[in-house]
Amino acid sequence: MKYYFILLIPIQLALGQSRYPQDYFINPLDITTVLSGTFGELRNNHFHSGLDIKTQQVEGMKVYAVADGYVSRIKIAHYGYGKALYITHPNGYVSVYAHLQKLEPKLETYLKNIQYERGTYEIELFPQADELIVSQGDIIAFSGNTGSSGGPHLHFEIRDNLERPINPLLFGIDVKDTKPPTIQKFYAYPKDANSFINGKNERTELRLIPRGNANFEVEPLTAYGYIGFGVTTYDQQDLAANKNGVSNITTTVNGIKNFEIDFKRFSFDETSHLNRLVDYEFYKTNRSFVKKLFVEPNNPLSMYKDVIDNGYLKVEDSINNIYKIVVSDFHGNTSTVSVKVKGDKPEEKLQKIIARPYHHFIYANDATTLEDQHVSVYIPDNTFYDDVNLDFRVSGDTLHLHQDVIPLQKNIGINYDISQYQDGDKNKLFVGKITGYRKYINYIPTIKKGDLLTAYTKTLGQFILKADEKAPSVTPVNFQNGKWLSNYRYLKVKISDDLSGIGSYRATVNDKFILMEYDYKTGVLTHDFNDNVVTDTRNELKIIVTDNVGNNTTFEATFFRK
C-alpha cells in the first residue's frame, strides 16, 4: 500500500504571492474545459465557490483526480452538492468534485458498504489518510446531475487548508476567453438624505453610451453630496453562451483609485453577505444583480481592496469630477464606463424620498420581539444590516412580515400559539412561506413544543399556519405487482407530497434494508439491483414514505427475480 505524508504548507503565505502552483493540478475531465459557471459569480444568497464544467449535456464522463492525495471526505445528499468527493493533497489544498453520478467502483463499494451498514442513503464520511489513496490521473468518479444541479455538469473546486475556496483558474486550469465583459446597466445611488442625483434623492438609472471596444460613457449628470454607483455586468467565454460572473471591478475618481472588488477567493463564512454587496431590493423585484461599487456599514466581505471613502464619490457644488469603472474577466479582458459628474447643489424645495411610515422601528443592534394575537416574531440583535421600519401584521393565521426586499444576516424565529386548535389537529400543523404569483406554500422546518410551533427563516415576506392531512403518494414507475424483474437493472418508484413535502422514506425487501437513491427533481426513488442485496426469487417490497408533518404511506408489492 502506498502512503503519503501530508504536509500542510502555510497557504496563507502563498495567497499573498502573485502565483499559485501552475503545474500541480491537471484538469478533472479529459475534454475541452467549457464553463457554465465561473468562480465567484453571484448566485441566490451565495457566491459560486468553483467552476461548473460542461459535460456535453450528458452524464457518466470520467472524473480524474487532479493530483496525488487521499479521499478525505465523501458526502451524499439529496440536495446541494448531491454526490460529492473531496481529496486532500500533499501541498495542503483540497479538490472538490460535486453533482457526481457515482463514484469509481472501489470507492462506490466502500461508500455503499457503509450506507448499508448504517441503513441510510444520505451520509457524510471522513476516511483516514491511509484508507483511500489516489494518484494524479486516477478515475475517481463519473459526472452527473445529482443534488441541486440544474443540468449535467461537474462542479469543481480547489480550497485551501482553511476550507476557503479559491478560483481554480489561478492554478493553471484554463478556458478560452477573448471576449470583454458585457455591461448591461449602470446606476447611481445617493448615500443619505442629503445626497442628490439629477435633483433626486433616489436610485437613478444612467443611460450608457457605447464608444466602441467595450468602452462606454454615461450621459452627463449633476449630483451633490456623497453618491455611489452600481453596475449589472456579466462575462462570456469563447466556447459558451452562458452569462457568467466577472473577476474584478476597479473604480477611480479623477484618476485616483478609490475602490476594488476582486472575486478570486472568499470564505464560506462570508458568502451570504453577497446580499450586502448587491442591491437586494432590486434583485428581489427584478431578478437582476446590481453590484454596488461602494461599501455600506456592517459589510464584512474580504473581497474589497484599496477602498477610499467607502467607494463613494464626494460631489461639491460647482465642482466637476470624472468617475471611471473598469470591469475585468479572469483573462484580463476589460470593459469600461466613464462618468462626468457636475456638482450642483439642489434647491431646498426639492422633494426627498419619504419612507412609508410603518409602526415597527427595529434598531439593528438590539434584539426585538414583535407580537400580535397568537403570533410572535423574535429578531436577534444584528439580524439587519441597518435600522429598519417594518410592516408587521397578523390576519387570521397569515403573518405579514414586510416584503422580502431587506436582507437578513441571521434567522428570525416565527412562533404560533396553537392552543385554540383541537388536539387531534395540532400534529398536522406547520409554518409555511407564501411565495410567487400563485401563492405557493413552501414548508419551513417547524418545531412543536407543547402548544407552540416555531419556525426559523432568513427572509421576510408572508407566512401562514397550515394543516397537512394528506399522506404522500407512492407509484411504481417501471414494474407492477407480481412482475418478474430478472432482466431489470433498476427498481423505480415515484413519490410525492402536495403540501408539506417529503420528510423521509425507507425501503426494505423481505424485511432487509435496501438503498434507494432519491432524485427530488423528478421525485423518483431508484434501487440498483447490482448492489446484490436482493438475492431471493420471491421478494416482498415495502416502502414507507413520511411527509414533514408525519403523515405516512406504506407501499407494498411483490416481484420476482432469478
Side-chain angles (χ1 to χ4, degrees):
M1 178 175 286
K2 182 165 57 172
Y3 291 87
Y4 292 103
F5 293 94
I6 304 297
L7 176 63
L8 298 180
I9 298 173
I11 299 176
Q12 294 90 328
L13 297 178
L15 290 175
Q17 300 171 1
S18 60
R19 292 185 62 83
Y20 294 78
Q22 297 299 293
D23 300 317
Y24 194 87
F25 298 114
I26 63 172
N27 287 355
L29 299 171
D30 58 3
I31 58 175
T32 301
T33 301
V34 180
L35 302 181
S36 60
T38 53
F39 183 88
E41 72 182 27
L42 310 187
R43 301 287 178 87
N44 185 28
N45 291 319
H46 68 282
F47 297 102
H48 189 234
S49 57
L51 303 179
D52 283 346
I53 305 175
K54 293 189 175 216
T55 56
Q56 301 173 352
Q57 300 181 344
V58 300
E59 300 183 42
M61 285 197 167
K62 295 175 182 177
V63 179
Y64 300 93
V66 295
D68 294 346
Y70 71 94
V71 176
S72 53
R73 183 182 179 193
I74 301 172
K75 186 173 182 180
I76 310 298
H78 301 315
Y79 307 97
Y81 282 10
K83 297 181 181 180
L85 192 69
Y86 300 69
I87 297 177
T88 296
H89 304 285
N91 65 352
Y93 291 100
V94 176
S95 56
V96 183
Y97 316 77
H99 306 308
L100 302 171
Q101 181 190 65
K102 59 184 176 181
L103 307 186
E104 101 27 76
K106 290 182 180 178
L107 293 176
E108 188 78 4
T109 298
Y110 172 90
L111 166 65
K112 285 195 172 183
N113 284 341
I114 300 177
Q115 287 176 312
Y116 273 102
E117 178 184 321
R118 299 185 185 178
T120 180
Y121 171 76
E122 290 194 297
I123 200 167
E124 187 170 17
L125 306 174
F126 297 91
Q128 296 297 312
D130 60 352
E131 282 190 88
L132 302 174
I133 303 297
V134 297
S135 298
Q136 186 179 65
D138 283 353
I139 299 171
I140 55 172
F142 298 88
S143 66
N145 187 30
T146 56
S148 301
S149 168
H153 73 279
L154 175 68
H155 175 87
F156 175 70
E157 298 179 17
I158 295 178
R159 301 180 184 180
D160 66 16
N161 60 347
L162 296 179
E163 284 290 300
R164 294 176 297 193
I166 305 169
N167 191 342
L169 298 183
L170 290 166
F171 296 86
I173 295 172
D174 201 13
V175 297
K176 187 176 181 181
D177 185 0
T178 60
K179 299 179 181 179
T182 296
I183 296 176
Q184 293 177 298
K185 300 283 186 179
F186 196 69
Y187 300 88
Y189 291 79
K191 179 183 180 182
D192 51 37
N194 298 310
S195 302
F196 298 87
I197 300 152
N198 290 337
K200 298 180 181 179
N201 181 243
E202 61 186 11
R203 178 184 62 223
T204 303
E205 182 176 352
L206 305 175
R207 183 169 64 90
L208 290 167
I209 304 171
R211 294 305 185 200
N213 298 320
N215 297 314
F216 297 85
E217 290 183 0
V218 170
E219 56 185 338
L221 72 147
T222 61
Y224 181 77
Y226 285 93
I227 63 172
F229 294 90
V231 63
T232 60
T233 181
Y234 65 85
D235 187 48
Q236 288 181 302
Q237 289 81 48
D238 290 11
L239 302 178
N242 301 77
K243 296 179 179 180
N244 300 135
V246 300
S247 183
N248 183 282
I249 304 177
T250 301
T251 73
T252 59
V253 174
N254 301 323
I256 299 173
K257 182 178 178 181
N258 79 322
F259 174 93
E260 180 181 358
I261 183 165
D262 188 276
F263 296 97
K264 292 185 177 67
R265 191 197 76 187
F266 63 88
S267 166
F268 285 113
D269 291 339
E270 62 180 325
T271 188
S272 66
H273 295 292
L274 168 147
N275 292 329
R276 192 59 163 167
L277 161 66
V278 303
D279 184 333
Y280 186 83
E281 178 180 7
F282 190 90
Y283 171 67
K284 286 295 181 175
T285 53
N286 295 276
R287 307 310 295 178
S288 176
F289 285 118
V290 179
K291 302 177 185 70
K292 294 182 291 190
L293 308 180
F294 50 93
V295 184
E296 296 171 293
N298 301 314
N299 184 339
L301 290 175
S302 63
M303 299 173 170
Y304 298 114
K305 299 179 181 178
D306 303 329
V307 177
I308 298 175
D309 288 336
N310 292 318
Y312 288 100
L313 167 63
K314 183 180 180 181
V315 184
E316 297 178 287
D317 193 26
S318 302
I319 301 297
N320 295 336
N321 297 274
I322 296 179
Y323 179 90
K324 184 176 181 179
I325 74 166
V326 179
V327 181
S328 308
D329 62 25
F330 180 84
H331 292 80
N333 304 301
T334 62
S335 298
T336 69
V337 178
S338 295
V339 189
K340 294 179 180 178
V341 184
K342 179 181 179 181
D344 184 16
K345 187 175 183 179
E347 299 177 9
E348 293 295 329
K349 65 180 181 180
L350 285 173
Q351 184 177 3
K352 300 178 182 180
I353 299 298
I354 301 175
R356 184 175 176 178
Y358 299 118
H359 300 296
H360 301 279
F361 190 82
I362 311 297
Y363 291 98
N365 293 333
D366 295 338
T368 305
T369 299
L370 304 174
E371 296 182 275
D372 186 11
Q373 303 175 54
H374 57 297
V375 181
S376 66
V377 175
Y378 175 70
I379 304 172
D381 61 324
N382 298 310
T383 293
F384 294 101
Y385 290 98
D386 304 299
D387 297 342
V388 296
N389 197 4
L390 285 187
D391 178 19
F392 168 76
R393 294 173 286 119
V394 176
S395 304
D397 283 334
T398 300
L399 165 65
H400 304 267
L401 189 57
H402 211 79
Q403 295 177 327
D404 183 14
V405 293
I406 303 173
L408 307 183
Q409 299 188 71
K410 298 179 180 179
N411 284 315
I412 60 177
I414 298 174
N415 303 288
Y416 276 86
D417 180 348
I418 59 171
S419 58
Q420 73 275 25
Y421 283 84
Q422 297 294 323
D423 288 342
D425 298 331
K426 292 177 181 178
N427 290 332
K428 304 301 182 183
L429 295 171
F430 69 93
V431 179
K433 183 173 184 180
I434 302 173
T435 60
Y437 173 77
R438 297 182 180 272
K439 297 189 179 299
Y440 289 110
I441 297 175
N442 293 328
Y443 170 83
I444 301 175
T446 305
I447 302 167
K448 181 177 180 294
K449 184 177 291 186
D451 284 335
L452 191 67
L453 287 186
T454 301
Y456 293 93
T457 179
K458 210 173 181 181
T459 59
L460 302 176
Q462 280 193 328
F463 303 87
I464 192 169
L465 185 64
K466 197 71 176 176
D468 183 0
E469 298 179 348
K470 186 177 179 180
S473 66
V474 183
T475 308
V477 173
N478 65 340
F479 70 98
Q480 297 173 339
N481 186 41
K483 187 172 182 177
W484 282 86
L485 303 180
S486 300
N487 297 323
Y488 283 58
R489 165 91 185 258
Y490 299 105
L491 179 73
K492 295 188 176 185
V493 173
K494 186 167 185 176
I495 63 176
S496 64
D497 187 78
D498 63 356
L499 193 51
S500 66
I502 301 297
S504 64
Y505 65 91
R506 182 176 177 82
T508 59
V509 169
N510 300 332
D511 296 324
K512 182 167 57 176
F513 170 79
I514 63 167
L515 202 62
M516 296 198 82
E517 179 176 337
Y518 177 45
D519 182 350
Y520 78 93
K521 290 172 286 194
T522 61
V524 174
L525 294 176
T526 302
H527 172 70
D528 187 348
F529 285 124
N530 283 359
D531 288 356
N532 295 319
V533 296
V534 178
T535 56
D536 296 331
T537 300
R538 180 185 176 92
N539 297 281
E540 302 294 337
L541 172 67
K542 184 177 182 179
I543 303 175
I544 301 174
V545 182
T546 306
D547 66 20
N548 280 304
V549 300
N551 300 307
N552 64 75
T553 297
T554 299
F555 172 84
E556 296 180 286
T558 301
F559 65 88
F560 300 89
R561 281 179 62 84
K562 285 186 179 179

